[in-house]
Amino acid sequence: MKTDKKQNQYRINEQIRVRDVRIVGESGSTVMPTRQALDMARQQGVDLVEISPNANPPVCRLIDYSKFLYQQKKRQKEMKAKQVKVEVKEIRFGPQTDEHDYQFKLKHAREFLEEGNKVRAYVFFRGRSILFKEQGEVLLLRFANDLEEVGKVESMPSLEGKKMFLYLAPKKAGAQKKSQQARDRKRLKEGEQAEGMEPEAADKKKQERDVRRDAVAPDIDVEMPANGGLLANAKISAEALRKLSESKDEEE
């Protein structure tokens, strides 16, 4: 049934009943009476296929109809293969997620983004755990910060009912996008190796670069929470993100 439906999409030969048609081919296009075009098709042992009925006059080709259908099917497959299907992958956290579980889910989220998929991370607050919604926000901000090389934030953490959502989109579909800083480090390391620099000299040069970097952009001082662990690391990342965002706003 599908094949019959596909074949009936185009009119061929005597089904074409307009007065004139435009014949297109490798040498260009020519307008001629339909009867003449049918005679040419018979002489060449092919079909007169109407490929654009809404044109004035309709556009036709002199081609074997079976070959024409095969070409159309092949072209559609190629177009479908080029289309990138973006899926939304979910990552679920609890407000008290431990470090091992966090790293496990971070690894999966990185893989999803590198494959070109979007990520919807959320913290689910069960019962009285809604009282710890600030911890959930801090956790999601740390999550976004740890994935900054491969993903960009589409929307900041927002509470919807008992869930707090964070949406991330891939920076580049299907491939990991390294940061400029990482690329610079790689080029610098390769340059030092090419120069045959001794390890001690390389370490000394690295220390000098770190001193110059701290003089230009000193580290953000963030107080370490007393309890340490996952929440401590998350708060550092979250506070750094906020301060970085404020500094960008002031520059603009």
Side-chain angles (χ1 to χ4, degrees):
M1 294 297 294
K2 290 184 179 179
T3 304
D4 293 339
K5 185 177 180 181
K6 182 72 176 178
Q7 289 178 348
N8 292 333
Q9 286 183 354
Y10 303 95
R11 292 187 295 184
I12 63 172
N13 300 328
E14 282 75 14
Q15 295 175 355
I16 305 172
R17 298 178 180 176
V18 294
R19 182 178 179 179
D20 299 315
V21 292
R22 180 182 296 274
I23 303 298
V24 295
E26 297 179 357
S27 59
S29 64
T30 305
V31 177
M32 65 178 65
T34 304
R35 182 54 55 187
Q36 182 181 348
L38 286 169
D39 292 339
M40 288 179 60
R42 293 191 189 97
Q43 292 173 6
Q44 297 179 21
V46 295
D47 299 298
L48 180 66
V49 182
E50 186 182 58
I51 60 175
S52 183
N54 296 325
N56 186 22
V59 179
C60 298
R61 287 183 62 188
L62 298 175
I63 187 173
D64 181 85
Y65 190 44
S66 299
K67 181 179 179 181
F68 173 75
L69 291 177
Y70 172 76
Q71 290 177 349
Q72 292 294 103
K73 186 176 180 180
K74 183 179 179 181
R75 188 177 295 109
Q76 289 178 358
K77 283 186 177 180
E78 291 175 351
M79 292 177 62
K80 187 176 181 180
K82 291 180 181 179
Q83 292 177 350
V84 179
K85 186 178 181 181
V86 178
E87 297 182 4
V88 179
K89 303 290 187 178
E90 283 195 346
I91 301 291
R92 172 175 171 170
F93 293 102
Q96 304 293 336
T97 301
D98 59 49
E99 180 67 21
H100 179 269
D101 192 26
Y102 173 83
Q103 293 297 335
F104 178 78
K105 293 179 178 181
L106 180 69
K107 177 184 176 182
H108 281 284
R110 184 180 296 275
E111 292 174 354
F112 293 150
L113 291 168
E114 289 175 352
E115 292 170 357
N117 299 307
K118 292 186 177 183
V119 171
R120 179 172 67 176
Y122 68 93
V123 179
F124 179 69
F125 300 97
R126 188 188 302 274
R128 293 174 62 88
S129 65
I130 192 68
L131 299 175
F132 302 99
K133 61 182 180 180
E134 182 181 3
Q135 292 186 16
E137 180 182 5
V138 168
L139 177 63
L140 291 176
L141 287 173
R142 178 195 176 189
F143 188 69
N145 184 59
D146 290 343
L147 294 170
E148 63 178 352
E149 288 189 359
V150 293
K152 57 184 178 182
V153 177
E154 282 195 334
S155 65
M156 296 299 285
S158 61
L159 187 64
E160 300 177 15
K162 293 185 178 181
K163 296 180 180 179
M164 180 174 288
F165 292 94
L166 170 74
Y167 292 88
L168 297 171
K171 282 190 174 180
K172 188 175 182 180
Q176 179 179 0
K177 186 176 181 180
K178 294 184 178 181
S179 65
Q180 184 64 41
Q181 184 178 4
R183 291 195 294 268
D184 291 343
R185 284 200 300 266
K186 183 179 179 181
R187 284 198 296 267
L188 185 59
K189 184 178 180 180
E190 292 174 350
E192 291 173 352
Q193 292 175 350
E195 295 172 1
M197 186 176 294
E198 295 295 332
E200 294 181 358
D203 292 340
K204 183 177 180 181
K205 189 172 183 179
K206 181 178 182 301
Q207 292 177 1
E208 293 175 355
R209 290 199 306 270
D210 292 341
V211 171
R212 290 197 298 270
R213 181 196 62 195
D214 293 339
V216 176
D219 294 336
I220 299 175
D221 294 329
V222 181
E223 183 179 355
M224 173 70 74
N227 60 342
L230 173 63
L231 183 59
N233 295 333
K235 285 191 174 182
I236 291 176
S237 300
E239 188 65 25
L241 275 175
R242 291 195 184 97
K243 290 192 176 185
L244 181 61
S245 178
E246 292 174 359
S247 63
K248 288 183 177 180
D249 293 339
E250 291 176 359
E251 292 176 359
E252 293 176 355

